[in-house]
Amino acid sequence: MERPVTLHVDGTVRKVSVDTRTTLLDGLRERLAVTAPKKGCDHGQCGACTVLLDGRRVLACLILAVTCDRSEVTTADGLGDSGSPHPVQRALLEHDGLQCGYCTPGQACSAVGMLDEAKAGWPSAVSGDLRQNVELTEEEIRERMSGNLCRCGAYPNIVAALREAIR
Amino acid sequence: MIPFEYRRAEDTDSAVTAVAADPRAVFLAGGTNLVDHLKLGITAPDELVDVTDLPLDAIEDTPEGGLRIGATVRNSDLAASPPVRERYRALSLALLSGASGQLRNRATTGGNLLQRTRCPYFQEITTPCNKRSPGTGCSALHGHNKNHAVLGASDSCVATHPSDMAVAMAALDGTVHVRSDRGERTIPVTELHRLPGEQPHRDTVLERGELITAVDLPPLPTGTYTAYRKVRERASYAFALVSVAAVLRVDNGVIDDVRLAFGGLAHKPWRAETVEERLRGATPAESTFREAAEAELSAARALADNAFKIPLARNTLGAVLRDLTTEAAR
Ligand SMILES: Cc1cc2nc3c(=O)[nH]c(=O)nc-3n(C[C@H](O)[C@H](O)[C@H](O)COP(=O)(O)OP(=O)(O)OC[C@H]3O[C@@H](n4cnc5c(N)ncnc54)[C@H](O)[C@@H]3O)c2cc1C
Ligand code: SF4
Ligand code: FES
Ligand code: FES
């Protein structure tokens, strides 16, 4: 059953008609040729499909595209432009926070969302006293980024990059 | 996936009438469980009624001094909300220990309560499973059952309920508000989920078409401490093998209020009533905690792969009680 939806993707208005069964991930990749979000597990388990939906990090593989009508979607492509990458993207490059690069767009979007969450004072499972505002220690970064798996195991450099991006 | 209609409900009445009118319609909230099930072929509704625009997203103080949590409040917003962090620490910790940042940004209070088991046979439609296809048998009973239940299970189903949030809400004596085209009712969180018995396909006592609208938490008297501890196979982003939610108050060196619930052990959040009875009025002591836990767990029945859960539950409970009574004594 086709439904028209209007998405604001990386700053551009995109109108598309999608089957109600289409996920946001498939809508972006297959219908709009926006291939920054990657399909890893397709079941919410790896984080490769992470995008920012109306400013918050989410998994595009578990969201139906019809539910996103008039929403703002930011993928890794839209975080910065090629001339001036987002500080998180720059730090990932500088610290070699990637190997094959498959998980990287999801890592970047997740990190940007995570930094906003920390700025808003959101605690994590390792924050101890939940009433205090948090400092993004290595332990905090690891916990907050735990939804993004990397089969190459680039974690040490990803963490180093994010520590840098915070400063 | 078979084709389905999608409808965005604008008010609560139209949401409940839409589902009441169509026996194959279901509510859609964050979709983090339902969309997965559509892909896996576990469920095949003909209409999804999206409830996320309903005005059920508030976290408000109740006149009694407790908290009312709307059904569409996102797990991340709930975990971060000041009244939850300050007054119901166990709930915040339980939410933060569940899933990942991305999933918590989507998952809702109602959807989290009604998420279905992560039993791998339930999720694999080519295997027998009484919960997914009643009458086909239980593949886990004599299969791989490391993650399965040790309390309250039946030969029909040995699945565990996966929610962390529900375990905390069970210990906090939460009450679920439910609405349907027949009216409204309230159900204690401890009575929302069922034990499998002969009908494991029914996870909860909800009737078809009932919409969860909110969960109420009663106030906690000053001096009450709460905790949530989750034991799992990796440091983060995994379901519980065992978890413990605890609410405790010590007055004059004696435990005067204690409420405990286990996760990961049963088909529902397991209120440890035997432990509670033994500890109420007792002086905190390591041996008392251990004996109480053992009395509760004497009813436990292990399967081939999950006997480890029994001592793990006892030790986790002991650790939580030790931490909370120490905190209360300071
Ligand atoms: C990889 C992964 C790891 C996870 N880890 C954890 C974990 O460690 N701990 C944990 O607790 N959870 C975990 N989860 C589960 C996650 O928390 C749930 O999927 C989520 O809470 C479901 O909420 P939702 O709003 O997305 O529900 P949906 O998927 O939209 O709905 C779930 C069910 O509830 C029904 N429903 C939704 N809202 C209502 C309502 N208001 N009234 C009546 N019916 C309703 C729907 O019809 C559906 O049957 C994990 C999920 C994934 C994918
Ligand atoms: S434990 Fe329950 S859910 Fe798992 S296979 Fe058996 S019947 Fe199905
Ligand atoms: S592809 Fe979405 S989480 Fe793996
Ligand atoms: S860099 Fe290869 S999966 Fe992460």
Side-chain angles (χ1 to χ4, degrees):
Chain A
M1 288 167 209
E2 295 273 321
R3 280 297 194 90
V5 295
T6 303
L7 299 173
H8 299 250
V9 184
D10 297 333
T12 309
V13 178
R14 308 288 301 266
K15 289 183 193 296
V16 62
S17 172
V18 290
D19 188 288
T20 49
R21 294 170 289 183
T22 311
T23 61
L24 177 59
L25 179 62
D26 289 342
L28 287 169
R29 291 184 57 87
E30 311 298 332
R31 301 299 308 279
L32 298 174
V34 176
T35 54
K38 297 291 179 272
K39 186 180 281 194
C41 63
D42 209 22
H43 290 283
Q45 296 170 5
C46 74
C49 64
T50 304
V51 297
L52 301 170
L53 182 65
D54 295 325
R56 297 172 78 165
R57 55 175 175 160
V58 296
L59 300 179
C61 72
L62 289 184
I63 296 175
L64 297 173
V66 276
T67 67
C68 302
D69 193 26
R70 295 188 297 266
S71 298
E72 187 134 354
V73 182
T74 306
T75 74
D77 273 351
L79 290 177
D81 50 55
S82 48
S84 59
H86 188 280
V88 162
Q89 290 172 314
R90 192 190 301 273
L92 282 168
L93 264 174
E94 279 169 6
H95 286 81
D96 218 359
L98 62 148
Q99 290 182 42
C100 75
Y102 199 78
C103 70
T104 316
Q107 300 277 4
C109 287
S110 186
V112 170
M114 179 276 280
L115 293 177
D116 282 346
E117 291 164 9
K119 206 172 285 169
W122 289 14
S124 83
V126 299
S127 301
D129 183 352
L130 301 180
R131 287 163 301 188
Q132 302 283 322
N133 272 356
V134 288
E135 190 201 332
L136 283 181
T137 57
E138 167 156 356
E139 193 193 11
E140 284 279 358
I141 293 171
R142 286 184 178 273
E143 166 61 29
R144 288 165 193 261
M145 292 296 293
S146 65
N148 292 81
L149 306 191
C150 173
R151 60 195 165 165
C152 298
Y155 300 115
N157 293 2
I158 295 171
V159 173
L162 298 187
R163 297 202 71 165
E164 157 97 23
I166 290 157
R167 270 183 280 143
Chain B
M1 259 189 254
I2 62 144
F4 50 78
E5 292 279 359
Y6 168 79
R7 176 202 301 244
R8 199 183 282 255
E10 270 148 25
D11 57 76
T12 310
D13 282 340
S14 68
V16 297
T17 12
V19 172
D22 177 355
R24 290 181 55 215
V26 296
F27 298 115
L28 170 72
T32 59
N33 199 221
L34 185 59
V35 174
D36 201 18
H37 287 182
L38 295 173
K39 290 184 183 183
L40 293 167
I42 293 172
T43 181
D46 67 3
E47 180 172 45
L48 304 187
V49 179
D50 188 339
V51 300
T52 53
D53 281 351
L54 298 183
L56 302 174
D57 61 350
I59 303 171
E60 306 161 309
D61 287 326
T62 61
E64 308 79 63
L67 205 63
R68 171 160 300 176
I69 301 157
T72 61
V73 172
R74 306 284 177 181
N75 284 179
S76 53
D77 291 323
L78 185 59
S81 91
V84 178
R85 282 155 73 178
E86 281 155 26
R87 286 148 54 191
Y88 303 98
R89 187 166 181 270
L91 177 57
S92 208
L93 289 174
L95 287 159
L96 293 169
S97 77
S100 65
Q102 292 97 310
L103 286 159
R104 293 192 294 271
N105 274 340
R106 267 314 266 190
T108 61
T109 307
N112 190 291
L113 285 172
L114 298 183
Q115 64 174 301
R116 307 202 69 193
T117 184
R118 303 301 284 202
C119 171
Y121 303 102
F122 173 77
Q123 293 185 298
E124 172 48 65
I125 60 163
T126 61
T127 59
C129 167
N130 287 326
K131 187 182 273 300
R132 177 173 31 75
S133 312
T136 55
C138 171
S139 301
L141 191 58
H142 301 292
H144 296 287
N145 48 35
K146 183 187 65 181
N147 292 319
H148 290 73
V150 294
L151 287 167
S154 71
D155 282 350
S156 301
C157 179
V158 291
T160 53
H161 184 71
S163 167
D164 292 294
M165 184 194 79
V167 178
M169 286 179 168
L172 290 164
D173 275 334
T175 307
V176 182
H177 291 252
V178 174
R179 175 122 159 231
S180 71
D181 62 337
R182 302 173 298 280
E184 298 187 11
R185 63 175 179 138
T186 57
I187 307 162
V189 172
T190 50
E191 286 164 34
L192 177 68
H193 302 94
R194 297 174 67 255
L195 290 178
E198 302 282 301
Q199 293 189 304
H201 59 283
R202 290 191 59 209
D203 293 345
T204 68
V205 300
L206 293 186
E207 302 293 339
R208 220 197 66 74
E210 283 190 314
L211 176 77
I212 294 180
T213 55
V215 177
D216 279 2
L217 299 180
L220 294 176
T222 35
T224 304
Y225 292 84
T226 75
Y228 188 75
R229 186 135 163 186
K230 177 172 176 178
V231 185
R232 45 183 155 180
E233 280 174 312
R234 43 183 203 209
S236 189
Y237 202 23
F239 287 92
L241 292 169
V242 170
S243 70
V244 172
V247 176
L248 183 122
R249 191 165 177 276
V250 179
D251 193 29
N252 280 323
V254 170
I255 297 174
D256 80 337
D257 183 17
V258 56
R259 286 173 269 153
L260 300 160
F262 282 117
L265 298 188
H267 205 247
K268 59 183 287 186
W270 187 270
R271 261 298 277 265
E273 284 168 5
T274 306
V275 184
E276 292 175 9
E277 261 163 48
R278 292 193 174 217
L279 294 187
R280 215 167 283 123
T283 315
E286 207 66 35
S287 56
T288 315
F289 301 159
R290 192 184 175 92
E291 281 156 27
E294 272 165 6
E296 182 84 45
L297 293 162
S298 66
R301 295 284 166 271
L303 300 160
D305 303 334
N306 69 1
F308 73 93
K309 281 192 174 185
I310 300 169
L312 187 60
R314 182 195 65 213
N315 294 345
T316 309
L317 182 75
V320 168
L321 288 170
R322 192 186 315 129
D323 287 355
L324 279 188
T325 48
T326 312
E327 210 179 323
R330 267 203 293 267

